[in-house]
Amino acid sequence: GESVGLHLPTLSVQEGDNSIINCAYSNSASDYFIWYKQESGKGPQFIIDIRSNMDKRQGQRVTVLLNKTVKHLSLQIAATQPGDSAVYFCAENIRGTGRRALTFGSGTRLQVQP
Amino acid sequence: GAVVSQHPSWVICKSGTSVKIECRSLDFQATTMFWYRQFPKQSLMLMATSNEGSKATYEQGVEKDKFLINHASLTLSTLTVTSAHPEDSSFYICSASGTAQENIQFFGPGTRLTVL
């Protein structure tokens, strides 16, 4: 079936460096994407979202890029901090179908080395 | 804003008993609530979607008689794991979405269920 998946299961970066977490999706009808951060033993926390009519959106220290041609999106974290260590999930949805459920990718663990 | 709570945060029960987990949206009206299950080091698996005042829609493979969901108000949904067995041990997470940002789901902190 169609799914959302991730290229890298674990990403290790040095504190202060920029992090890039990638996500590939296979459903060409997907038109809305969200990045979530999940710390150990906690529920996912909303980071940033993007609609398919955009190719870039920026938040505080985070940027999401969407490439619809290759069905790929990425989450960039600037000046990565130890508190950014967590598992990051991308999720997708098809708006207008009446189905509001999100499909989650398999997750990437970000480890920030001090 | 957009805070979702869950209670209890963890529960240990004996095999054969039923466990109820509550999910509340604290500062917004949740027209739709979702229940997920997550095993260690795995992604979230959607169990069911519930709209206030109507029956929940269960994902394929999820037993509706095993996992009872009630969404009685715009701020409360409950998941009852009936006749729990050790294989039901998992991390259960709810999320809620309102009308203002209808596609964003805000997640609760999760409930760790351990069935002995």
Side-chain angles (χ1 to χ4, degrees):
Chain A
E2 307 221 67
S3 64
V4 178
L6 295 176
H7 294 301
L8 300 172
T10 303
L11 176 64
S12 184
V13 299
Q14 292 292 321
E15 181 178 357
D17 288 351
N18 296 332
S19 303
I20 300 176
I21 301 171
N22 297 301
C23 180
Y25 64 96
S26 56
N27 189 343
S28 56
S30 298
D31 58 4
Y32 179 68
F33 305 88
I34 304 179
W35 280 101
Y36 285 95
K37 170 187 180 183
Q38 186 178 27
E39 297 175 82
S40 181
K42 298 183 180 180
Q45 175 187 356
F46 171 84
I47 301 174
I48 192 168
D49 61 348
I50 188 168
R51 301 191 189 283
S52 60
N53 61 351
M54 304 172 68
D55 54 17
K56 180 180 181 179
R57 192 170 187 209
Q58 290 183 295
Q60 186 176 14
R61 281 201 307 120
V62 295
T63 301
V64 55
L65 299 178
L66 174 62
N67 185 329
K68 295 180 287 293
T69 302
V70 296
K71 296 199 282 289
H72 178 272
L73 71 160
S74 65
L75 177 69
Q76 300 179 0
I77 304 174
T80 312
Q81 303 169 358
D84 294 327
S85 294
V87 176
Y88 290 80
F89 293 98
C90 62
E92 57 93 9
N93 176 255
I94 305 171
R95 295 185 303 131
T97 62
R99 176 175 167 83
R100 303 177 68 179
L102 295 170
T103 300
F104 280 80
S106 55
T108 291
R109 179 173 298 280
L110 177 64
Q111 296 177 333
V112 182
Q113 307 297 328
Chain B
V3 179
V4 177
S5 70
Q6 274 184 249
H7 178 81
S9 56
W10 60 269
V11 57
I12 301 173
C13 69
K14 293 182 179 180
S15 185
T17 61
S18 294
V19 175
K20 180 184 284 187
I21 303 170
E22 291 187 351
C23 177
R24 294 181 184 271
S25 58
L26 299 185
D27 53 1
F28 69 103
Q29 292 186 325
T31 51
T32 307
M33 285 186 167
F34 305 84
W35 286 96
Y36 293 84
R37 185 174 180 176
Q38 186 178 34
F39 292 105
K41 298 184 180 180
Q42 293 189 23
S43 188
L44 285 76
M45 182 191 77
L46 178 67
M47 300 175 66
T49 302
S50 74
N51 293 298
E52 184 265 338
S54 62
K55 291 184 178 180
T57 301
Y58 290 80
E59 295 298 298
Q60 191 173 9
V62 178
E63 301 174 59
K64 61 180 180 181
D65 295 329
K66 172 76 172 177
F67 300 99
L68 301 178
I69 292 172
N70 183 278
H71 191 165
S73 75
L74 286 171
T75 60
L76 173 64
S77 177
T78 61
L79 167 68
T80 301
V81 183
T82 62
S83 186
H85 292 283
E87 58 266 29
D88 298 323
S89 298
S90 190
F91 193 51
Y92 292 89
I93 314 174
C94 73
S95 69
S97 64
T99 56
Q101 296 172 295
E102 62 179 60
N103 285 94
I104 298 178
Q105 292 179 28
F106 298 97
F107 284 81
T111 297
R112 173 74 59 194
L113 170 63
T114 302
V115 184
L116 303 178

